[in-house]
Amino acid sequence: LGNAIEELKGRQARLLAQFRETLSNSLNADLSSPDGRAAVALRAKKVLGAQGALDLRVRRFAQVLSEADKDGDWIESACGIAAGRPIKDWGDPDVGRCGLELDGLCEQFGQAEAFATVQAPGGTPVKSTATTILKNLASSGLDIAQQRAVLLLALKELSEISPGGSGHG
């Protein structure tokens, strides 16, 4: 029985490491390092401090991320929010659901972070840059669907910037 318990603990540790990697990729941060976790914690605190409504799950997710710089089971808490139940109560379907939901939560967190960035003091350059981009798109001769496609492609490429590159952080 002891060997079986140890094997399960090892599997859980590997699973949590896999989910930490998923979060690292989705949040464009190195969550295996203290500096990376501290940067994500600061980002989450900015989101929590912004004016405006946050979905309850996104708020809980941001609260957990705001504690990522401290020792503890923050990764388990994040996975529990994603799966809709504590990790200790998981069954096989919860593992797959967690991976999908983590991506969705990170996307919503990123949207909340962008909104918080615009609201923050110093957000004026962000607003003026957005206005410039929209003016350039409007004068490009592209129809509205093509303009949206350009923005979506740019967002996709921006989301693929590595944690060490420019972008979040």
Side-chain angles (χ1 to χ4, degrees):
L1 185 59
N3 288 340
I5 290 172
E6 288 304 313
E7 181 180 343
L8 288 174
K9 285 181 182 178
R11 285 185 183 173
Q12 180 177 345
R14 287 189 301 276
L15 186 62
L16 290 174
Q18 180 182 358
F19 286 133
R20 183 176 51 241
E21 184 67 24
T22 296
L23 281 170
S24 289
N25 292 334
S26 294
L27 293 171
N28 198 19
D30 179 7
L31 294 175
S32 64
S33 78
D35 288 345
R37 289 190 302 275
V40 166
L42 284 174
R43 289 169 54 192
K45 289 172 186 168
K46 181 171 71 171
V47 167
L48 290 169
Q51 303 266 328
L54 273 179
D55 174 87
L56 180 60
R57 283 181 72 220
V58 176
R59 177 171 295 287
R60 287 177 48 220
F61 185 66
Q63 287 170 333
V64 166
L65 291 179
S66 75
E67 300 291 321
D69 59 340
K70 299 181 174 113
D71 290 333
D73 58 355
W74 68 271
I75 190 76
E76 288 184 29
S77 297
C79 290
I81 292 167
R85 68 176 69 202
I87 197 169
K88 66 179 180 63
D89 297 336
W90 279 14
D92 288 341
D94 296 308
V95 174
R97 182 173 48 246
C98 179
L100 293 173
E101 291 295 324
L102 279 177
D103 283 339
L105 281 169
C106 288
E107 178 69 27
Q108 291 174 345
F109 175 83
Q111 292 170 1
E113 184 178 24
F115 183 73
T117 300
V118 170
Q119 279 189 330
T124 303
V126 174
K127 292 175 190 174
S128 65
T129 301
T131 300
T132 301
I133 290 169
L134 292 173
K135 284 180 183 175
N136 286 340
L137 277 175
S139 65
S140 69
L142 300 173
D143 66 35
I144 193 73
Q146 291 170 321
Q147 291 177 38
R148 286 184 182 136
V150 166
L151 291 173
L152 287 173
L153 179 60
L155 284 172
K156 181 181 181 298
E157 290 182 15
L158 185 61
S159 72
E160 293 172 356
I161 293 174
S162 67
S166 61
H168 293 309

